[in-house]
Amino acid sequence: MEKLSHAYIISSPSKELCIKLATELAEKSLCGAAGKRPCGVCRDCRKVLNGTHPDFIRISRLSDDKGRLKKELQVDQIRSMAADAYVLPNEAAEKVYLIEDADTMNESAQNAALKLLEEPPKGVRFILCVQNPEKLLVTVRSRCVEIHRNAEAEAPDADAKRMAEEFISCIQSGSRSGLLTWCMASEGCDGRKTADFLEAAKAELISALSGEGKRLSMSGEEIMRLIALCDRCLDRLKVNTGTKHIYGLLAVKGIEEKS
C-alpha cells in the first residue's frame, strides 16, 4: 500500500481542481478497504465523496456580518483545528483536514499551523489547498509534500466521456435491449467512476441543448428529461445507493415509454 505523507500542499490556478484532488487524497486516506485504496465503494469512500464523513474536516474562510468572505483564514480557526486534531477519529482509522485557501493565512495562523506540521498527532493528515504556494512560509512548505496541477488538468476523464457518449448513443438508438446490455456491463463501476460518467453525460446533454456541442437526434424536452435523470442518479449516489441500482434506474428510465 502506498505510504502517504502527513501533510500536502496542493496548488493550482483552479480552486475547484485543488478541492477535487484533495478529496481524492482524503478518500485514499480514509478508505476502509483492505486491498487497493481508494476502493470507491466502501462506506468511508462514499461519505468522503458526498461530504458527510465526520473524519474529513474542511476549514474555510469565515463570512463577515454582510455575508462576504473574510480576506484571511483566522488564527483562531487554526488553533481550533489543532485542538480537534488530538481528538480520536469518529469512524475511520485516521482524520483528514482540508484547509481551503491556505495561502490566505496570515503569519500568526501559519505559525500555529507549523506547530502541527512539525509534530502532527498520530493518524492525522493535513491538506493545504492554495493558488499561490509562494505566500506560504518556507518552513510550512518544507514540511509538506507539494503537488502542482495546471488548470488544464480539469479536462474531462477519458473513460467518463466515453461512457457518456456510449450511454447517449444507446438512448438515441431507441433500443431498450441495447441500453439494458450497456447498463449491465457498466454496473460493476465504483461510485466515483459512476459519478464522473453522470457528470460527463450531463455536460454533453447541456452542451447539445445550448447548441454549442454535438447535435443529438432528440428533442429539447427529451434532453431536459435525461439531464433530470442524471441529477436524480447523482442525488441517489450521495445517499449511498449502490451503483447496480443506479444503472438499473438508467436502464428502466433512460428511454421514455411511448404512450
Side-chain angles (χ1 to χ4, degrees):
M1 186 185 299
E2 177 187 353
K3 183 174 175 59
L4 299 175
S5 172
H6 74 283
Y8 291 86
I9 294 170
I10 299 179
S11 62
S12 171
S14 166
K15 180 177 177 177
E16 291 75 18
L17 181 56
C18 281
I19 300 299
K20 179 183 177 185
L21 294 173
T23 301
E24 290 173 358
L25 193 54
E27 186 186 359
K28 181 180 288 189
S29 301
L30 301 177
C31 175
K36 182 180 177 182
R37 300 171 68 179
C39 68
V41 296
C42 72
R43 189 176 75 164
D44 288 308
C45 282
R46 290 181 180 184
K47 283 192 170 186
V48 169
L49 291 174
N50 65 37
T52 60
H53 202 300
D55 298 315
F56 180 35
I57 302 101
R58 291 175 62 161
I59 312 297
S60 57
R61 284 180 290 161
L62 301 174
S63 299
D64 61 21
D65 55 4
K66 295 183 179 179
R68 297 173 300 195
L69 281 179
K70 293 186 176 181
K71 292 183 179 180
E72 297 180 336
L73 276 166
Q74 308 294 303
V75 64
D76 287 344
Q77 290 179 266
I78 304 303
R79 288 171 178 161
S80 294
M81 179 187 72
D84 186 69
Y86 286 93
V87 178
L88 291 175
N90 288 278
E91 295 180 4
E94 300 182 354
K95 294 174 79 170
V96 178
Y97 291 88
L98 189 167
I99 307 175
E100 299 180 30
D101 301 319
D103 46 350
T104 68
M105 290 189 290
N106 60 29
E107 190 169 344
S108 296
Q110 289 196 50
N111 281 323
L114 180 59
K115 293 179 182 178
L116 272 177
L117 299 175
E118 288 177 331
E119 298 180 10
K122 185 178 179 181
V124 178
R125 209 173 310 285
F126 302 96
I127 307 172
L128 286 66
C129 286
V130 304
Q131 290 183 290
N132 184 1
E134 299 296 328
K135 290 185 177 180
L136 295 175
L137 297 174
V138 173
T139 45
V140 169
R141 295 180 65 182
S142 68
R143 284 159 177 79
C144 302
V145 172
E146 294 196 47
I147 300 172
H148 304 277
R149 290 290 185 274
N150 293 324
E152 289 77 12
E154 286 185 283
D157 177 83
D159 276 347
K161 194 173 188 324
R162 173 187 57 77
M163 288 180 70
E165 290 173 350
E166 290 174 352
F167 171 68
I168 293 171
S169 179
C170 286
I171 302 294
Q172 291 190 105
S173 75
S175 170
R176 289 186 174 280
S177 61
L179 177 60
L180 177 61
T181 299
W182 183 86
C183 288
M184 289 178 67
S186 304
E187 65 184 19
C189 294
D190 62 30
R192 173 176 290 282
K193 189 169 183 179
T194 299
D196 287 346
F197 142 63
L198 289 166
E199 292 288 3
K202 265 186 65 179
E204 191 90 7
L205 291 164
I206 291 169
S207 183
L209 190 65
S210 67
E212 296 178 356
K214 182 179 177 182
R215 289 190 64 183
L216 302 177
S217 57
M218 59 180 80
S219 67
E221 196 173 277
E222 175 68 357
I223 292 174
M224 290 292 290
R225 187 187 69 81
L226 288 173
I227 292 171
L229 178 60
C230 288
D231 280 331
R232 182 177 171 188
C233 290
L234 285 164
D235 286 342
R236 291 199 174 191
L237 276 176
K238 290 178 181 178
V239 293
N240 295 338
T241 300
T243 55
K244 187 172 182 178
H245 294 288
I246 297 298
Y247 288 101
L249 179 61
L250 292 173
V252 172
K253 298 292 186 181
I255 296 176
E256 191 171 28
E257 293 185 22
K258 303 297 182 184
S259 56

